[in-house]
Structures are given as structure tokens and as C-alpha cells.
């Protein structure tokens, strides 16, 4: 990666404060930060994409039907615990009902992943679609189809997600939480680690083909409904299913689809 362009913060600060001892102005953390240009980052990412591979898929110790790229760390909060429960229920449903495998990727190389929580593989092990897991934690006081449809529309609005996946550089910044300073400069403390993580994930979720959907493959939002206040029976009623499917057709644009899940046996898919 010899084409990388960088300027040490230490050198920049030295020029700005030549008359002041550097130790008084620069922290150890700042000494490790390096500034990179967009062109250099994309050049290095392109080189890495040519050789990067999808990591081996492991089996979850709790539910072997679910695949993983790295072992799930212990739940650190209720939201994480809910996400893992949803993922394992989804994996069971897909394996038993469709012969497909869900690979959880909500965590990767020690960090949480934006936009995506995993992907689904077909019976031959080939990627079918990407997955975003959500949990309906606000319980509705009564079951009304109108409010349910409004919630569905919100779930299919992926404007923020599309901004993070509109280019490889946007994705790398979102994955690694890279931020520009007030002057627009991009400083990165561990460039090699961040670049590898971002490029591997872009390869996993197929974000490198401009002819594909805005979020790589089809992005299926899976909403855990067990605490939503809407019963499986209410949503599974033909009238409700027909209305929801129309909204998915209208607001999904063929790129965004929906699954509503109560447990591993009660699941409704809208394609």
C-alpha cells in the first residue's frame, strides 16, 4: 500500500506550535493518528478487495443451526440479548422450513456492524439476501391495522442505511466510525485493522457492485414482534397480510422486504 498518502499529526502540530514543546501540546493518542486522503483509502481498499475472502463460517454453540463469523460474546445489555434471541429463532425457522442458513454478523472483529446483522445462504451455501434485525419493544395498547401499517412503512424506510452504503468510502467511515475534523481532514489511528474490517464486510454484504440494490443484496428487515402488542393471529389474518404485502410492494421497491417473527415457529414473510 505504498500509494497511501499520510501526514503525521505530530508533524502538523510541530509546524503549528514550533515554539512550544510538543509534549505539552500532543497526547500519546494524537501521536498515533495519521491523516489519509480519500483517494489513498480507495486505492488501498481496491487492492484489498482483489484478494479478500469471506471468513470461515462457524456454528453457534447455543443453536448450531445459526452460522457465525466469530463466537457471540455474552449479552452486554437487553438490546443485545434480544437481538441474539431473534437471530437464533430466525435461524431455526429458516433451517426447518426452507433449508436455508442464517449467518449472524452483527459483531465482526470486535465491533458492532452498522446497517446489517447477517445474511441468508441458500441450500448450496450461496448468499441470497442481507438481513437487518429489529425488535418491536413499544407495546401498542390495542391492535389496529392502520398503526401496524404505519410501523411497517417506517421499517421499510432505509434512507439512513442507504447513505452508509452508497459508496465504499461511506461504508468504511460508517463501519469504523471515522470522523472528519472541522477542516475536513480524516485521521485514523489503526488504518490496517480498520481497512481490513471494512473491506471484508463490504465483500460479505456485496456492497461493491454498483448494479446491485442500494444495500448490496436485497435487504430483509426481520422484526421481532413478541413484545409489540400485535398477536401472530391478528397479523396472520388474510386481511392484515394482504394490506401489509401491498405496503411492502409500495415502499420496498423490490430491494427491501419484511419478516415478522414471534418465535421460531410463528413467522410471517412478505417478499
Amino acid at each position: 500500500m505504498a500509494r497511501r498518502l499520510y501526514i503525521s499529526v505530530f508533524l502538523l502540530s510541530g509546524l503549528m506550535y514550533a515554539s512550544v514543546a510538543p509534549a505539552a501540546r500532543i497526547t500519546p493518542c494524537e501521536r498515533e493518528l495519521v491523516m489519509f486522503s480519500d483517494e489513498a483509502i480507495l486505492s488501498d481498499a481496491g487492492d484489498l478487495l482483489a484478494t479478500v475472502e469471506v471468513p470461515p463460517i462457524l456454528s453457534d454453540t447455543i443453536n448450531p443451526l445459526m452460522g457465525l463469523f466469530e463466537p457471540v460474546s455474552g449479552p452486554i445489555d437487553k438490546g443485545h440479548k434480544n437481538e441474539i434471541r431473534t437471530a437464533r429463532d430466525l435461524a431455526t425457522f429458516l433451517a426447518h422450513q426452507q433449508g436455508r442458513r442464517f449467518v449472524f454478523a452483527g459483531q465482526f472483529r470486535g465491533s458492532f456492524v452498522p446497517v446489517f446483522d447477517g445474511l441468508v445462504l441458500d441450500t448450496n451455501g450461496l448468499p441470497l439476501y442481507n438481513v437487518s434485525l429489529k425488535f418491536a419493544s413499544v407495546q401498542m395498547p390495542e391492535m389496529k391495522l392502520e398503526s401496524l401499517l404505519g410501523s411497517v412503512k417506517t421499517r421499510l424506510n432505509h434512507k439512513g442505511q442507504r447513505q452508509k452504503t452508497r459508496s465504499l468510502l461511506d461504508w468504511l467511515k460508517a463501519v469504523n466510525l471515522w470522523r472528519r475534523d472541522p477542516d475536513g481532514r480524516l485521521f485514523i489511528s489503526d488504518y490496517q485493522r480498520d481497512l481490513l474490517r471494512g473491506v471484508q464486510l463490504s465483500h460479505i454484504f456485496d456492497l461493491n457492485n454498483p448494479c446491485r440494490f442500494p444495500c448490496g443484496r436485497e435487504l430483509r428487515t426481520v422484526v421481532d414482534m413478541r413484545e409489540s402488542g400485535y398477536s401472530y393471529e391478528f397479523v396472520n389474518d388474510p386481511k392484515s397480510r394482504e394490506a401489509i404485502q401491498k405496503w411492502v410492494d409500495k415502499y420496498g421497491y423490490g430491494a427491501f422486504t419484511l419478516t415478522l417473527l414471534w418465535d421460531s415457529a410463528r413467522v410471517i414473510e412478505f417478499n
Side-chain angles (χ1 to χ4, degrees):
M1 299 183 180
R3 293 191 297 275
R4 185 172 70 246
L5 173 65
Y6 61 91
I7 303 174
S8 168
V9 173
F10 181 87
L11 294 177
L12 285 174
S13 300
L15 292 173
M16 295 171 62
Y17 303 103
S19 61
V20 181
R25 291 286 183 177
I26 304 172
T27 67
C29 178
E30 288 174 329
R31 291 193 188 99
E32 297 175 0
L33 292 176
V34 177
M35 186 175 75
F36 293 82
S37 70
D38 293 357
E39 293 78 9
I41 293 171
L42 288 175
S43 176
D44 289 345
D47 291 343
L48 195 53
L49 274 171
T51 60
V52 74
E53 297 181 353
V54 174
I57 297 176
L58 312 174
S59 292
D60 180 38
T61 56
I62 303 299
N63 182 0
L65 296 174
M66 184 173 79
L68 301 163
F69 292 120
E70 59 187 42
V72 173
S73 58
I76 57 177
D77 55 30
K78 183 178 179 181
H80 185 207
K81 184 177 180 180
N82 288 338
E83 180 180 74
I84 297 301
R85 180 174 61 175
T86 304
R88 287 171 175 151
D89 281 349
L90 176 65
T92 298
F93 167 78
L94 290 171
H96 289 168
Q97 300 299 322
Q98 301 173 8
R100 297 173 176 176
R101 192 178 195 191
F102 174 63
V103 181
F104 178 72
Q107 301 172 70
F108 191 77
R109 291 186 173 270
S111 298
F112 289 103
V113 179
V115 183
F116 309 106
D117 294 296
L119 69 159
V120 172
L121 309 179
D122 66 14
T123 54
N124 295 315
L126 299 176
L128 279 177
Y129 53 83
N130 298 331
V131 172
S132 174
L133 301 175
K134 303 295 182 184
F135 191 85
S137 58
V138 178
Q139 184 164 346
M140 301 301 294
E142 56 183 326
M143 290 182 282
K144 290 186 177 180
L145 183 56
E146 293 78 10
S147 58
L148 177 60
L149 292 176
S151 176
V152 168
K153 179 182 177 181
T154 300
R155 298 295 187 181
L156 294 173
N157 180 9
H158 292 283
K159 181 178 180 180
Q161 286 86 337
R162 283 180 285 178
Q163 290 177 339
K164 294 176 181 177
T165 61
R166 61 186 174 183
S167 73
L168 181 55
L169 185 60
D170 287 315
W171 174 247
L172 291 172
K173 289 190 291 185
V175 167
N176 297 303
L177 301 178
W178 290 347
R179 296 290 182 267
R180 297 187 186 277
D181 70 6
D183 296 322
R185 297 172 299 186
L186 192 62
F187 292 97
I188 304 168
S189 61
D190 196 332
Y191 180 68
Q192 302 295 340
R193 178 203 65 191
D194 288 0
L195 188 68
L196 178 59
R197 178 169 58 210
V199 169
Q200 276 193 304
L201 285 169
S202 71
H203 183 54
I204 288 170
F205 296 119
D206 195 26
L207 301 177
N208 309 304
N209 187 339
C211 299
R212 297 300 297 265
F213 289 129
C215 290
R217 305 178 189 91
E218 168 193 338
L219 177 57
R220 178 173 290 268
T221 299
V222 178
V223 184
D224 192 315
M225 299 288 287
R226 71 188 84 209
E227 295 183 15
S228 68
Y230 292 101
S231 69
Y232 170 79
E233 290 73 21
F234 174 81
V235 180
N236 199 39
D237 179 83
K239 180 181 178 181
S240 298
R241 292 187 63 139
E242 181 181 3
I244 295 172
Q245 185 62 61
K246 287 182 179 179
W247 279 58
V248 172
D249 293 340
K250 181 177 181 180
Y251 296 105
Y253 311 109
F256 307 112
T257 52
L258 180 71
T259 292
L260 303 181
L261 175 151
W262 283 259
D263 53 42
S264 61
R266 297 180 298 169
V267 179
I268 305 174
E269 296 185 309
F270 300 93
N271 300 310

